[in-house]
Amino acid sequence: MSSFRVEGGHRLKGEITPQGAKNEALQIISAVLLTGEEVTIHKIPQIRDVLKLIDLLSDMGVEVTENGGESYTFKAANVNLDFLNTSDFKEKAAALRGSIMILGPLLARFGTGRMPKPGGDKIGRRRLDTHFVGFEKLGAKFNYDPQTSFYTVDGRNLKGAYMLLDEASVTGTANIIMAAVMAEGLTTIYNAACEPYIQQLCKMLIRMGANIEGVGSNLLRIEGVTTLKGTEHTLLPDMIEVGSFIGMAAMTKSDITIKNAQIKELGMIPDTFKRLGIKMNFNGDDIHIPAQEHFEIESYIDGSILTIADAIWPGLTPDLLSVILVTATQAKGTVLIHQKMFESRLFFVDKLIDMGAQIILCDPHRATVIGLDRAYPLRGITMTSPDIRAGVSLLIAAMSAEGVSTIHNIDQIDRGYQFIDDRLNALGAKIERVG
């Protein structure tokens, strides 16, 4: 198991470009199964989860060509469905939660799909009901075998239908969209997720020949088509990386410019960090965060304590709450962090408390952070990363702390952030990969 040895207290300076969006990549790469023609995708992040999905598609018979510069061409002309019955498929698909995204395309084009119960971060309940209920609405038959932990879906005669999703699941919406684009007739999806990643998927499918209306809203209308063609697509910058770099700059008193951040696609992320008192300058699509000795958390107009909570888009993405929590520890003022969607995602705050942070964990969903304006710097400790987002948050804390920290289980961080140690060391960080 690899670890990071982090020497804290170093200010960073320079420019950094965010990787392509991981969550978008998993959907877009799965969508190549919808056509036998070539699909070229640019800005694919070189991270473990994405590369595992590409490897899985290759094993299924998809021709994968690396074009260089984070660009790949896929051609799913000869998909081997028999591979879905192998132990190799079970092992690889179960190790990757994003593998669930191939079900929708398989149903749409081949009328069948199998999937072992997927893994992923242990951040609370992450049910898959939205995916399968949506498939059933389209006429698919669903079965789960607890003995083999396999989901099987038969969708040989998918037909358009009206559905009101029980939750605005991003992956659930994406999977249903990909199944519906080749279903017979009209599909109406209400309470659809409308994150930029979903919008990107819809725009790509439209270029492939799909008929989708309502892109960007929570009401989608999809008229099924019989075939889809190839296309070319460029992923958005990863908004989670952008937010992580903003918090990192504030915590380490650094002067950083985030290049090509696609600011209009970030929603309320910049404004949320501004409410923590972090200054930012926008120059086109670049974000400049000047070095700040101090930043102060806003309060509400009536003087009450600020609450920052996650919400479905256009609300704040839950993936950034851990970074925001860490950043608030060195601010001046108090903030209540409310993690609504996942009940285990705040269970890394014990490490921050060991580092000297003033945090009260109210319950599994809420934590009160008391920022003491850098009066008591965090101190380096040895800790273990529990998941991707908490892992990078602990890395940010370690970079701002006095002394040396060791972070174990950094494979979790590698699943979401490409070459993060090399990229930050280029700005002046002191991060050593060991083990």
Side-chain angles (χ1 to χ4, degrees):
M1 181 184 296
S2 298
S3 304
F4 280 148
R5 182 182 181 278
V6 185
E7 185 180 295
H10 295 280
R11 298 196 184 203
L12 281 57
K13 187 174 180 62
E15 298 178 346
I16 191 165
T17 301
Q19 67 188 27
K22 172 196 171 183
N23 291 338
E24 180 187 347
L26 297 175
Q27 300 171 19
I28 294 294
I29 293 170
S30 298
V32 307
L33 290 168
L34 287 166
T35 178
E37 297 185 16
E38 288 188 349
V39 177
T40 298
I41 306 172
H42 306 294
K43 197 68 177 170
I44 290 181
Q46 305 298 290
I47 56 178
R48 186 162 301 175
D49 280 7
V50 172
L51 297 178
K52 278 186 175 181
L53 180 59
I54 293 173
D55 182 54
L56 184 66
L57 292 185
S58 178
D59 287 343
M60 291 172 62
V62 178
E63 294 178 32
V64 181
T65 304
E66 295 186 45
N67 305 320
E70 301 176 346
S71 174
Y72 288 72
T73 295
F74 302 86
K75 188 173 183 180
N78 299 295
V79 176
N80 178 18
L81 295 179
D82 291 335
F83 178 69
L84 304 181
N85 299 311
T86 66
S87 58
D88 195 22
F89 172 74
K90 181 177 181 179
E91 179 182 347
K92 290 185 175 182
L96 174 64
R97 187 169 183 83
S99 62
I100 192 69
M101 301 304 304
I102 70 174
L103 268 184
L106 287 174
L107 281 178
R109 187 166 164 216
F110 302 106
T112 187
R114 298 186 79 240
M115 181 60 54
K117 187 175 181 180
D121 282 338
K122 306 304 180 186
I123 56 177
R125 293 174 65 241
R126 306 175 75 184
R127 58 191 181 88
L128 297 172
D129 298 55
T130 304
H131 300 248
F132 294 114
V133 170
F135 295 153
E136 287 181 322
K137 291 279 187 181
L138 295 173
K141 293 180 174 60
F142 162 73
N143 179 64
Y144 175 65
D145 185 345
Q147 299 298 321
T148 61
S149 295
F150 252 95
Y151 301 99
T152 304
V153 188
D154 181 353
R156 281 171 285 187
N157 295 292
L158 297 184
K159 296 188 183 301
Y162 172 86
M163 62 186 78
L164 172 60
L165 302 188
D166 63 336
E167 63 171 348
S169 162
V170 176
T171 55
T173 299
N175 232 344
I176 295 167
I177 289 170
M178 289 188 283
V181 290
M182 296 175 72
E184 181 184 339
L186 176 66
T187 297
T188 301
I189 307 173
Y190 200 24
N191 194 31
C194 53
E195 272 79 352
Y197 308 137
I198 294 291
Q199 297 177 41
Q200 286 282 95
L201 174 64
C202 288
K203 291 173 183 176
M204 172 181 163
L205 294 174
I206 290 169
R207 290 195 302 273
M208 294 172 71
N211 188 348
I212 305 173
E213 296 180 358
V215 177
S217 76
N218 68 346
L219 179 60
L220 296 174
R221 291 184 177 88
I222 304 170
E223 188 72 42
V225 297
T226 55
T227 58
L228 294 173
K229 60 186 179 182
T231 190
E232 192 168 351
H233 182 83
T234 300
L235 301 179
L236 290 174
D238 195 306
M239 67 171 73
I240 314 305
E241 266 213 346
V242 173
S244 300
F245 295 151
I246 294 172
M248 179 190 68
M251 283 286 283
T252 57
K253 308 178 192 177
S254 299
D255 187 307
I256 292 174
T257 297
I258 305 171
K259 301 293 290 183
N260 190 27
Q262 295 287 312
I263 295 167
K264 65 182 176 62
E265 304 290 354
L266 297 177
M268 64 191 306
I269 291 172
D271 285 342
T272 301
F273 281 100
K274 284 181 180 179
R275 300 200 78 175
L276 296 182
I278 298 170
K279 294 186 175 71
M280 278 172 269
N281 304 310
F282 301 131
N283 181 17
D285 269 325
D286 298 344
I287 303 176
H288 172 239
I289 305 101
Q292 285 182 253
E293 293 293 328
H294 304 280
F295 51 102
E296 184 171 354
I297 299 169
E298 292 180 5
S299 57
Y300 289 115
I301 293 173
D302 63 359
S304 56
I305 292 173
L306 177 68
T307 297
I308 296 179
D310 58 339
I312 59 173
W313 190 267
L316 181 68
T317 172
D319 285 346
L320 271 176
L321 273 191
S322 57
V323 172
I324 290 167
L325 187 152
V326 167
T327 305
T329 64
Q330 295 306 296
K332 178 181 179 182
T334 301
V335 62
L336 176 66
I337 303 295
H338 191 173
Q339 167 59 268
K340 297 177 181 178
M341 297 188 184
F342 302 107
E343 67 270 16
S344 302
R345 217 166 199 173
L346 296 181
F347 288 172
F348 74 103
V349 300
D350 58 325
K351 285 99 171 164
L352 299 176
I353 292 170
D354 288 345
M355 297 178 80
Q358 300 293 298
I359 304 172
I360 301 169
L361 185 61
C362 308
D363 56 45
H365 291 277
R366 297 177 301 159
T368 300
V369 184
I370 304 164
L372 300 178
D373 197 21
R374 302 192 196 273
Y376 303 100
L378 299 180
R379 56 182 174 267
I381 64 167
T382 297
M383 47 194 160
T384 300
S385 168
D387 63 71
I388 298 173
R389 307 309 176 186
V392 83
S393 302
L394 293 174
L395 175 61
I396 291 170
M399 291 169 62
S400 72
E402 291 185 342
V404 174
S405 296
T406 300
I407 305 174
H408 299 306
N409 196 28
I410 61 167
D411 289 353
Q412 292 280 11
I413 302 174
D414 288 337
R415 288 176 49 219
Y417 297 83
Q418 66 178 9
F419 318 127
I420 191 66
D421 46 337
D422 293 337
R423 295 160 72 201
L424 297 183
N425 285 341
L427 299 177
K430 301 293 183 183
I431 304 170
E432 181 185 0
R433 187 180 292 260
V434 296

